[in-house]
Amino acid sequence: MLKSFLKVSLIWVFSLTLAHADLTIEIDQSDENALPIAMVPLAWQGAASTAPVDLASVMAANFHRTGKFRPIDEADMPQLPHSLEEVRYDQWRNLDVDTLITGSIQEDSPGFYTIDLYLIDVLRRQQVIAKRWANIPQKWLRKVAHQMSDLAYKELTGIRGAFSTQIAYVTLEKVDGERRYALEVADADGFGAQKILKSSFPIMSPSWSPDGKQLAYVSFENGRSEVFAQSLDGKYRELLASFKGINGAPAWSPDGKQMAITLSKDGSADIYIMDLKTKNLRRLTTNWAIETEAVWSSNGRSLFYNSDRRGQPQIFQVFLDTGEERRVSFEGNYNANPEISPDGRYLAMVHGSGGFHIGVLDLYTNDFSIITKTFLDESPSFSPNGEMILYAMNRGGVGRLASVSVDGRITQIISSTSGQVREPAWGPFKD
């Protein structure tokens, strides 16, 4: 009877449906030197009075969230040009606007569109980017805005934009006194949220595969912790670890062929590596202490993890070729939940000192800094371009997400109207 109940309590969503609780992002702190930029409303040709999606607003929101740019309001624009020939450069220079994005959207047939977008350098009076998207269905219009934002951001900063990426997170709602958990995936701007797993039991530690097509996570649907891997399209789900004791903290290797997992099947909680093809296990740590939350170095040659072998959690590194272990964190008495930046330079962690905040260790210089000021911060996750860190925090007793730049100058608070949000993981580039 209990087994039947546990199976009913879990809903695996084979046919993904859109959730109605998109995340909302509030800019809490931005760079005071943010550069003005103009996203001109696109020219529209279609049966309706307006385009189905305001692509200029989507791009403006993208650039605003970086904290590096300040999109100007439409009311402050001196003109609304839609081509290079229409731009009156002196008028834009009077507003200190060096860059504008403009273009057009045309309805080809019901529900399908052609979009032309241009990035114009006002100083050089040149069109830097010109790109056309043809036969685009309405549901993909926001993706076009994100793709153009990525192109423009790379042109303006030299850094690849992460607007087209996705984030995963766990939501918790109370309905009629019962807890309902869901593993959700949304675009990086919080829109298009989809529930890929719903359960009456806790879901924890989502981890993206390197190709962005799967998530590993911990589920308690069978009354104990187990590690699963699941495709985003709902066509595949596999139980990877269901050993005696703890099964937790999955982390995919950079090549996608292995997974680091915390297991206590042999006694204490230790770090293991599973070959995802053969399911063979290799035990990396053998300490009596709790060793958990392993993450792979960017080159895949070592793992960072936290251990309480010194009495309080600290970050250690173990090298796969030699088995050598070394302590990495030394600032304060509590450092846990490590996360490495994509370029391997920065190590983010939860730092306990007068509260729990996100700290960043520069592995090149050994400089350490606390970059958040929110409450009960946890679960840091780098954006795939390494510019921002997504993390969980608590405000007013409610679990929310937030993001912060690596230098701590830019912060955003991310909320959901449907309940609490925890356990964030920022997905990889998909290309």
Side-chain angles (χ1 to χ4, degrees), residues 9-26:
S9 70
L10 175 79
I11 304 175
W12 179 19
V13 187
F14 287 87
S15 178
L16 298 180
T17 56
L18 285 177
H20 297 290
D22 288 333
L23 301 176
T24 58
I25 301 178
E26 167 194 349

Side-chain angles (χ1 to χ4, degrees), residues 157-386:
T157 67
I159 300 170
R160 184 175 180 180
F163 307 111
S164 297
T165 58
Q166 295 179 296
I167 59 174
Y169 50 89
V170 175
T171 59
L172 169 61
E173 297 180 83
K174 284 188 177 181
V175 180
D176 298 328
E178 294 185 0
R179 292 175 177 262
R180 295 185 181 178
Y181 298 86
L183 176 59
E184 300 192 17
V185 173
D187 294 340
D189 64 353
F191 281 80
Q194 296 177 317
K195 297 180 188 293
I196 70 167
L197 183 74
K198 295 191 288 186
S199 177
S200 299
F201 296 89
I203 304 168
M204 301 173 60
S205 306
S207 172
W208 288 89
S209 62
D211 61 7
K213 296 180 179 180
Q214 299 181 63
L215 282 168
Y217 54 86
V218 177
S219 173
F220 286 79
E221 65 201 63
N222 293 317
R224 53 197 294 269
S225 64
E226 296 174 312
V227 175
F228 289 86
Q230 178 175 328
S231 62
L232 299 190
D233 61 10
K235 296 180 179 179
Y236 161 86
R237 189 183 193 228
E238 181 181 8
L239 176 62
L240 295 178
S242 183
F243 299 99
K244 177 183 67 176
I246 297 171
N247 300 270
W252 249 290
S253 63
D255 62 6
K257 297 179 179 180
Q258 301 178 91
M259 185 174 291
I261 306 176
T262 297
L263 302 174
S264 65
K265 67 184 188 68
D266 296 314
S268 60
D270 281 298
I271 307 299
Y272 292 74
I273 291 180
M274 175 181 286
D275 183 303
L276 292 175
K277 183 177 181 179
T278 66
K279 302 302 184 292
N280 291 336
L281 289 171
R282 173 188 173 189
R283 186 175 182 177
L284 285 184
T285 63
T286 57
N287 202 284
W288 57 268
I290 297 175
E291 328 263 39
T292 187
E293 296 177 333
V295 294
W296 296 78
S297 63
S298 57
N299 60 16
R301 297 174 183 173
S302 65
L303 291 172
F304 295 90
Y305 63 95
N306 61 263
S307 170
D308 65 353
R309 65 181 66 175
R310 304 292 173 86
Q312 294 286 342
Q314 293 292 344
I315 309 299
F316 289 77
Q317 183 179 18
V318 57
F319 294 89
L320 301 185
D321 55 351
T322 65
E324 175 192 356
E325 297 178 78
R326 69 183 185 100
R327 181 174 169 180
V328 177
S329 63
F330 293 91
E331 189 80 21
N333 295 323
Y334 184 103
N335 293 287
N337 205 173
E339 176 75 4
I340 194 73
S341 64
D343 63 1
R345 175 167 184 171
Y346 298 103
L347 185 69
M349 64 193 75
V350 175
H351 177 74
S353 178
F356 294 96
H357 301 289
I358 304 301
V360 171
L361 175 66
D362 187 329
L363 296 175
Y364 292 2
T365 66
N366 284 325
D367 291 335
F368 179 83
S369 58
I370 299 173
I371 61 172
T372 64
K373 299 177 183 179
T374 41
F375 184 63
L376 292 178
D377 304 336
E378 62 182 19
S379 305
S381 179
F382 278 93
S383 62
N385 63 6

Side-chain angles (χ1 to χ4, degrees), residues 22-269:
D22 288 333
L23 301 176
T24 58
I25 301 178
E26 167 194 349
I27 308 298
D28 191 53
Q29 179 179 323
S30 62
D31 192 335
E32 61 182 13
N33 296 317
L35 298 175
I37 189 171
M39 308 295 180
V40 179
L42 305 187
W44 161 245
Q45 297 180 35
S49 59
T50 59
V53 176
D54 186 348
L55 300 188
S57 293
V58 176
M59 291 185 288
N62 284 343
F63 274 79
H64 184 47
R65 287 197 312 277
T66 69
K68 295 181 177 181
F69 293 89
R70 178 175 55 82
I72 66 173
D73 294 334
E74 180 182 348
D76 296 327
M77 295 181 185
Q79 60 164 162
L80 301 179
H82 298 118
S83 67
L84 181 68
E85 294 75 23
E86 296 176 7
V87 178
R88 298 173 184 174
Y89 298 101
D90 291 341
Q91 294 184 8
W92 292 102
R93 287 300 301 130
N94 290 336
L95 296 177
D96 292 325
V97 174
D98 297 340
T99 306
L100 60 87
I101 296 178
T102 187
S104 64
I105 175 171
Q106 174 181 311
E107 186 176 29
D108 300 323
S109 60
F112 290 86
Y113 306 86
T114 291
I115 304 98
D116 291 294
L117 293 173
Y118 313 107
L119 175 66
I120 297 175
D121 186 322
V122 175
L123 287 178
R124 292 185 290 170
R125 303 192 175 198
Q126 292 180 354
Q127 183 172 278
V128 181
I129 295 175
K131 188 168 178 61
R132 168 171 286 188
W133 290 261
N135 201 36
I136 300 299
Q138 180 174 328
K139 65 180 180 179
W140 289 354
L141 288 177
R142 293 187 67 90
K143 292 184 178 181
V144 170
H146 295 325
Q147 289 171 10
M148 183 61 182
S149 298
D150 287 337
L151 294 171
Y153 192 75
K154 177 65 179 296
E155 178 66 31
L156 296 173
T157 67
I159 300 170
R160 184 175 180 180
F163 307 111
S164 297
T165 58
Q166 295 179 296
I167 59 174
Y169 50 89
V170 175
T171 59
L172 169 61
E173 297 180 83
K174 284 188 177 181
V175 180
D176 298 328
E178 294 185 0
R179 292 175 177 262
R180 295 185 181 178
Y181 298 86
L183 176 59
E184 300 192 17
V185 173
D187 294 340
D189 64 353
F191 281 80
Q194 296 177 317
K195 297 180 188 293
I196 70 167
L197 183 74
K198 295 191 288 186
S199 177
S200 299
F201 296 89
I203 304 168
M204 301 173 60
S205 306
S207 172
W208 288 89
S209 62
D211 61 7
K213 296 180 179 180
Q214 299 181 63
L215 282 168
Y217 54 86
V218 177
S219 173
F220 286 79
E221 65 201 63
N222 293 317
R224 53 197 294 269
S225 64
E226 296 174 312
V227 175
F228 289 86
Q230 178 175 328
S231 62
L232 299 190
D233 61 10
K235 296 180 179 179
Y236 161 86
R237 189 183 193 228
E238 181 181 8
L239 176 62
L240 295 178
S242 183
F243 299 99
K244 177 183 67 176
I246 297 171
N247 300 270
W252 249 290
S253 63
D255 62 6
K257 297 179 179 180
Q258 301 178 91
M259 185 174 291
I261 306 176
T262 297
L263 302 174
S264 65
K265 67 184 188 68
D266 296 314
S268 60

